[in-house]
Amino acid sequence: MRPHARRLRWVAPLLLLAATACSTARPSPGGSTEPRDPGGSRAAAQQLVAHADDLARRGQARAALAAYERELREYPGDPAGAGALYSLGRLQTDPASGLRNYRAAQRAFTRLLAQYPESRWEAEARAWRAVIGDLIAREEDGARLKEDAGHLKEEVTRLKTQIEQLRRTDLDLERRR
């Protein structure tokens, strides 16, 4: 392949990428192709997370949960989403919140690690996810043990009934002799 053709092989995809990027930008009212208000939506997302954090601190867990979920829904991919997911996971592990749901918290931390792998909460999210995994396993073990205990109680009752029947049979045999 000639050197000129090799260079063109790399230029064509770059031109296509540049053309695609330019064609997806929305013109603003003034005719510019810059995003309308990049700082405004970022600031709004951060304000919403700060408001949710404040609600959580004041013990309004349900309202905080709704605000975190709203931020995640209305501002997908915004960097403030990392804080929303981290706080959402923490809220769902807090027994005082009344919203304790380990599986939902684990999903929040997993989502945080997948969508924001380089966030400042990465190490803590990994730790929370590991601890929650252990808690879920312990809860499952506890539920299984409780179920086993119920079956054993039934078995004890059945065996006591059989022992009583055998005792009566033995007494009847003793009387007949």
Side-chain angles (χ1 to χ4, degrees):
M1 185 179 268
R2 294 192 324 231
H4 186 327
R6 256 186 284 169
R7 265 188 254 128
L8 283 178
R9 188 177 72 174
W10 293 104
V11 171
L14 289 174
L15 288 174
L16 181 62
L17 179 63
T20 305
C22 290
S23 69
T24 59
R26 293 185 203 163
S28 66
S32 169
T33 58
E34 300 227 346
R36 282 190 237 177
D37 187 14
S41 64
R42 176 165 285 159
Q46 289 172 340
Q47 278 184 321
L48 191 52
V49 171
H51 175 66
D53 289 343
D54 185 50
L55 290 169
R57 267 191 299 279
R58 289 188 284 142
Q60 297 177 5
R62 291 201 188 285
L65 177 80
Y68 291 131
E69 289 175 343
R70 180 176 166 211
E71 190 284 333
L72 294 167
R73 188 176 54 254
E74 291 182 9
Y75 304 99
D78 189 274
L85 286 167
Y86 179 75
S87 297
L88 181 61
R90 294 274 315 265
L91 185 65
Q92 292 169 326
T93 59
D94 184 1
S97 73
L99 301 173
R100 194 184 84 189
N101 183 338
Y102 291 142
R103 291 186 193 291
Q106 190 171 44
R107 282 191 301 271
F109 290 123
T110 298
R111 185 174 166 192
L112 167 62
L113 292 169
Q115 292 180 353
Y116 306 96
E118 308 252 335
S119 77
R120 71 181 212 192
W121 294 284
E122 185 261 342
E124 288 182 50
R126 286 191 191 287
W128 272 106
R129 198 171 61 165
V131 168
I132 291 169
D134 288 345
L135 285 170
I136 290 171
R138 300 288 182 263
E139 280 185 343
E140 289 171 353
D141 288 345
R144 211 173 11 262
L145 289 172
K146 192 173 184 179
E147 185 178 326
D148 289 349
H151 292 306
L152 289 173
K153 265 186 170 178
E154 291 171 4
E155 182 71 14
V156 166
T157 302
R158 190 181 63 75
L159 289 172
K160 281 182 178 180
T161 303
Q162 284 181 346
I163 288 172
E164 186 59 34
Q165 287 173 347
L166 288 172
R167 191 176 70 73
R168 284 190 207 129
T169 304
D170 188 43
L171 284 174
D172 286 345
L173 286 174
E174 283 291 322
R175 286 186 197 136
R176 289 184 188 163
R177 283 192 215 169

